[in-house]
Amino acid sequence: MILARIFEPIFSDDSHGFRKEKSCHTALECIHKRWTGVKWFVSVDIEGFFDNMDHITMIHILEQYIDDPKFINMIRDMLKAGYLEDWKYHSTYSGAPQGGIISPLLSNIYLHELDTFVARLATEFDRGKKRNLNLVYHRLSRNIQTLYKKVDLLKSQGKTTEADEVIQTLKTMIEERSKFPSGDPFDAGYKRLRYCRYADDSILGIIGSKKDAITLKDEVENFLRLNLSLSISAEKSQVVKATDGIVYLGYGVRNFSPTRKTRGVRGSRRVLRKAGSDLMQLYIPRRKIVTFCQKHGYGNYDQRSTTHRPGLLYREDVEIVMAYNSELRGFANYYKLVGDFKTELRILHFLWFGSLLKTLAAKHQSTVAKMQKLLRGRDHYQVRYSVQGKSKVQKVFKLKDIKVKSSRNPDIITDTLRFASPRTSILDRLNASRCEYCQKEDGYFEVHHVRKLKDLSNKTPWERRMIEIRRKTIVLCIDCHQELHRGTLPDYRHLRKK
C-alpha cells in the first residue's frame, strides 16, 4: 500500500499492467486510437524478466524515492526470502517472489526506468509538427475544383450534355485522387515514436524509416542490458512492417488504409470522403482461434467437424452448458475490441455449439437433432433444471449477448476450470438437502466423488449406486459418508425398504 501511494502518481500512462483502471484492453485501445500513421513495429520481449530481475538494481531504484532504511531492508528481505519445493528450501538470488502480492508492483517499479528512458527517446526522436503535402494529391484537388466550377458554368448556360461529360471526367479524377494520401507518408522531416507496455511485454511504434526502427531497438536493448541487467529474446524481439502486422497481448495489430468512403458536405456540395489512411486495425489471429478450439476439444477447425467431450458426460446438463458458456464467453469478451469479432468467431461458435449438442446427445444416448429440439426456447437455446423444487433456466450463450462497452476496467481472470472440471457438481451443492443414498432429508450433507466411473469395481452398494445414476459425485449424509469410508455402508435397497 505504501509503495503504491508513492509510485502510482509517477507511473507512465503508457504502462498498463497490474494497475488500477488499466488492463490489456486499455493498452490495445491506446494503440488502436493513437498509433495512426505508424510504419514499423518494434517488439521488445524481455527474456525471463520475473526470474532475472536484479535485486541490487531494484533496491537502488527504491532508494532513489524512499529514504527509510528499515522499509528498504524489509523489501530486501522479501526479495531474498527463498522458496520451498518438495519440502526443500531454495535461495533466491534474483527475480521477484513467485505469487508474491508485491511482485507485480515491484515489476512496474523496475520497468518504470524503461518507460522513462523511452519517453526521453521520444522527445529526442520526434520531429516536425505535421507532414508535408502530397504534391500529387493536391494537384488533383486543384484540377477537381476547376472542373466543379466548369460544371456549374455549363449548367447555368443550359449545356447539360457538356456538363455530363465533364462530370464523368470529374468522377474519374476523384477516384484517382482517392488512391493517394493528402500528406507525404515518407516525409523525412516528420517522425514520431509511440510506446506501450503491459508488464514485461513492450512494443514501439515508429513513424519513420526502417533504419530509425532498428536504431531505436538497439538503444532499448543496450539500456536494458547496461542499466537493468536484462536481456531481450533475439527470436521474439523484431522489427516488423506495420502493414504485415504483429501479435501483441493475443491480438493481431496492423496498419491498413480502408477503401470505403463516407458522404459529407463541403460548401454547398455533397462529396465523398476517404475514411482515412494508415489506421491501426485490431484483429483476431487465426492461430489463436484454432488453438482455443483444439484445447477445448470442440472439433477440427479446418474440416469444420465437431466432436463430443467425454470428460463432461457424467456432469449435469446445466453443468455442461455452464462449462461451455464460460469458455466461449471468456474468449469472446477478451476479443470484443475487434470491430467485427462476431463475424470472425462465427466458425468457432458453430463448432462450439455442435460440440455442446453432441456432448448432451452422447450423455442421454440420443441424437443431435433431438437435443437441439429439446433445448430450443423462445429466443435462446436453454436447459431447464430445478433447485429445491424451484424451476430455473440456464440459457445457452450466443455471441450477440456480448455487449461492447468501454474497457476502462481492471484485469479480470475468468475461472472456467470450476465449470469444466469441478470437484463437486453444481446442482449437487444446490440441492444438498437430501442424501442420494439413504434418502435422509435432515442433517449435515457431504459430497463424495471419484475420479472415473470405470475405476469402480461394482462390488460395493455405493459403487453400484453411482454407476446407476451415471455420476462421479454423490451427495451423502454424514452417517452414510463415514460408513462408506469404513467399508460398512449397507445396501441402499434395504434402506429404502425400511
Side-chain angles (χ1 to χ4, degrees):
M1 290 170 65
I2 294 172
L3 285 173
R5 290 292 295 271
I6 294 171
F7 286 97
E8 271 296 330
I10 65 174
F11 279 158
S12 169
D13 289 337
D14 296 321
S15 170
H16 295 264
F18 315 125
R19 297 183 62 195
K20 186 178 180 180
E21 300 299 323
K22 297 278 190 177
S23 66
C24 293
H25 282 180
T26 60
L28 292 160
E29 273 191 339
C30 177
I31 293 173
H32 185 225
K33 294 177 179 179
R34 293 179 50 205
W35 287 33
T36 300
V38 163
K39 300 296 182 183
W40 300 94
F41 291 128
V42 177
S43 63
V44 181
D45 188 278
I46 300 174
E47 201 164 17
F49 167 69
F50 287 95
D51 295 328
N52 298 321
M53 191 174 69
D54 185 65
H55 290 174
I56 296 176
T57 305
M58 180 78 255
I59 295 300
H60 177 67
I61 294 171
L62 291 173
E63 288 175 339
Q64 297 178 34
Y65 298 92
I66 302 172
D67 186 15
D68 186 343
K70 289 186 177 180
F71 188 84
I72 296 296
N73 287 334
M74 182 180 68
I75 301 298
R76 183 185 287 110
D77 291 341
M78 293 177 70
L79 290 171
K80 295 185 178 298
Y83 63 95
L84 283 176
E85 185 175 359
D86 296 329
W87 298 103
K88 187 176 181 180
Y89 175 79
H90 299 268
S91 300
T92 52
Y93 302 100
S94 64
Q98 293 291 329
I101 191 172
I102 200 174
S103 297
L105 181 54
L106 289 179
S107 69
N108 274 337
I109 294 172
Y110 199 85
L111 290 178
H112 175 65
E113 301 299 303
L114 173 63
D115 301 342
T116 306
F117 174 74
V118 175
R120 291 199 303 269
L121 272 184
T123 303
E124 299 169 1
F125 180 79
D126 291 356
R127 184 187 306 170
K129 292 185 177 180
K130 60 183 298 184
R131 297 180 188 274
N132 287 332
L133 301 178
N134 186 331
L135 298 180
V136 176
Y137 180 91
H138 287 276
R139 176 175 55 80
L140 289 170
S141 294
R142 288 194 297 270
N143 293 340
I144 288 170
Q145 291 302 318
T146 302
L147 290 178
Y148 270 127
K149 292 178 181 179
K150 187 175 182 180
V151 169
D152 292 340
L153 179 61
L154 291 172
K155 285 184 176 180
S156 65
Q157 295 175 352
K159 299 178 180 180
T160 308
T161 305
E162 291 87 340
D164 290 341
E165 293 175 357
V166 176
I167 288 173
Q168 292 302 319
T169 305
L170 186 61
K171 289 181 178 180
T172 303
M173 196 170 293
I174 291 174
E175 186 66 28
E176 180 68 18
R177 185 183 64 174
S178 67
K179 299 176 182 178
F180 301 95
S182 60
D184 182 3
F186 302 103
D187 180 12
Y190 182 84
K191 295 183 179 181
R192 290 290 185 273
L193 169 60
R194 309 295 187 196
Y195 172 69
C196 184
R197 179 176 67 82
Y198 183 89
D200 60 330
D201 291 329
S202 303
I203 184 173
L204 305 178
I206 313 298
I207 301 178
S209 64
K210 184 177 183 180
K211 183 179 178 181
D212 293 330
I214 295 174
T215 302
L216 290 168
K217 174 178 176 292
D218 292 340
E219 291 191 41
V220 171
E221 183 176 359
N222 290 335
F223 175 82
L224 289 170
R225 184 179 68 255
L226 299 176
N227 296 75
L228 298 180
S229 302
L230 296 171
S231 60
I232 67 172
S233 172
E235 297 178 355
K236 298 180 180 179
S237 301
Q238 53 189 333
V239 176
V240 180
K241 194 174 182 181
T243 51
D244 293 338
I246 194 171
V247 176
Y248 182 64
L249 300 179
Y251 272 72
V253 185
R254 63 188 169 202
N255 176 319
F256 85 115
S257 297
T259 56
R260 63 183 177 86
K261 299 180 179 63
T262 58
R263 296 187 178 276
V265 178
R266 178 176 293 174
S268 59
R269 302 182 189 280
R270 293 185 176 275
V271 296
L272 289 176
R273 293 175 176 170
K274 289 176 61 178
S277 58
D278 292 340
L279 305 178
M280 280 295 109
Q281 181 187 36
L282 301 177
Y283 65 95
I284 309 175
R286 185 178 185 277
R287 177 172 56 84
K288 294 289 184 181
I289 302 176
V290 174
T291 302
F292 180 82
C293 182
Q294 293 174 344
K295 174 185 174 183
H296 293 285
Y298 298 148
N300 190 304
Y301 189 87
D302 295 322
Q303 297 178 3
R304 308 293 192 265
S305 61
T306 59
T307 57
H308 74 283
R309 294 166 64 178
L312 295 177
L313 291 181
Y314 299 107
R315 301 293 178 188
E316 299 285 351
D317 289 359
V318 64
E319 227 179 328
I320 295 173
V321 171
M322 291 175 73
Y324 273 87
N325 282 358
S326 62
E327 291 163 1
L328 187 59
R329 185 190 293 114
F331 190 77
N333 260 314
Y334 185 72
Y335 285 105
K336 69 180 180 180
L337 294 185
V338 175
D340 58 343
F341 76 95
K342 295 178 183 179
T343 302
E344 292 197 32
L345 294 180
R346 67 186 187 280
I347 297 174
L348 177 65
H349 183 270
F350 164 76
L351 296 173
W352 169 87
F353 187 59
S355 176
L356 170 61
L357 292 177
K358 283 190 174 182
T359 301
L360 291 172
K363 170 182 169 61
H364 295 284
Q365 299 181 358
S366 181
T367 64
V368 169
K370 289 181 179 179
M371 292 309 306
Q372 187 172 5
K373 183 178 180 180
L374 183 65
L375 265 62
R376 185 177 288 115
R378 180 177 298 179
D379 57 348
H380 268 76
Y381 287 100
Q382 58 192 25
V383 59
R384 295 186 176 276
Y385 65 102
S386 61
V387 177
Q388 296 181 353
K390 296 181 180 180
S391 179
K392 295 192 175 185
V393 171
Q394 174 63 53
K395 293 182 178 180
V396 177
F397 170 74
K398 292 193 295 187
L399 287 176
K400 73 175 187 179
D401 295 335
I402 297 290
K403 306 299 181 184
V404 182
K405 298 180 180 179
S406 172
S407 63
R408 302 298 297 183
N409 59 334
D411 292 327
I412 298 174
I413 300 175
T414 303
D415 182 12
T416 61
L417 184 63
R418 68 190 183 95
F419 295 119
S421 56
R423 292 176 62 86
T424 57
S425 166
I426 293 175
L427 283 186
D428 287 342
R429 293 194 291 271
L430 293 174
N431 292 311
S433 58
R434 183 178 60 185
C435 178
E436 293 184 322
Y437 193 83
C438 70
Q439 306 301 312
K440 183 179 179 181
E441 295 185 355
D442 58 338
Y444 179 72
F445 296 92
E446 296 176 339
V447 179
H448 182 77
H449 55 86
V450 297
R451 293 179 64 85
K452 298 178 181 178
L453 286 180
K454 67 179 182 180
D455 293 339
L456 300 177
S457 63
N458 198 23
K459 294 181 179 179
T460 62
W462 66 269
E463 287 177 327
R464 291 196 294 272
R465 177 59 178 157
M466 293 190 75
I467 294 172
E468 179 183 318
I469 63 178
R470 290 175 59 84
R471 283 223 316 266
K472 293 187 287 186
T473 58
I474 184 170
V475 177
L476 300 173
C477 63
I478 192 169
D479 295 331
C480 288
H481 201 188
Q482 289 176 351
E483 290 192 41
L484 182 151
H485 285 286
R486 286 197 295 263
T488 59
L489 189 64
D491 194 325
Y492 71 96
R493 294 183 181 85
H494 298 288
L495 293 174
R496 287 184 175 181
K497 288 179 180 178
K498 292 180 182 179

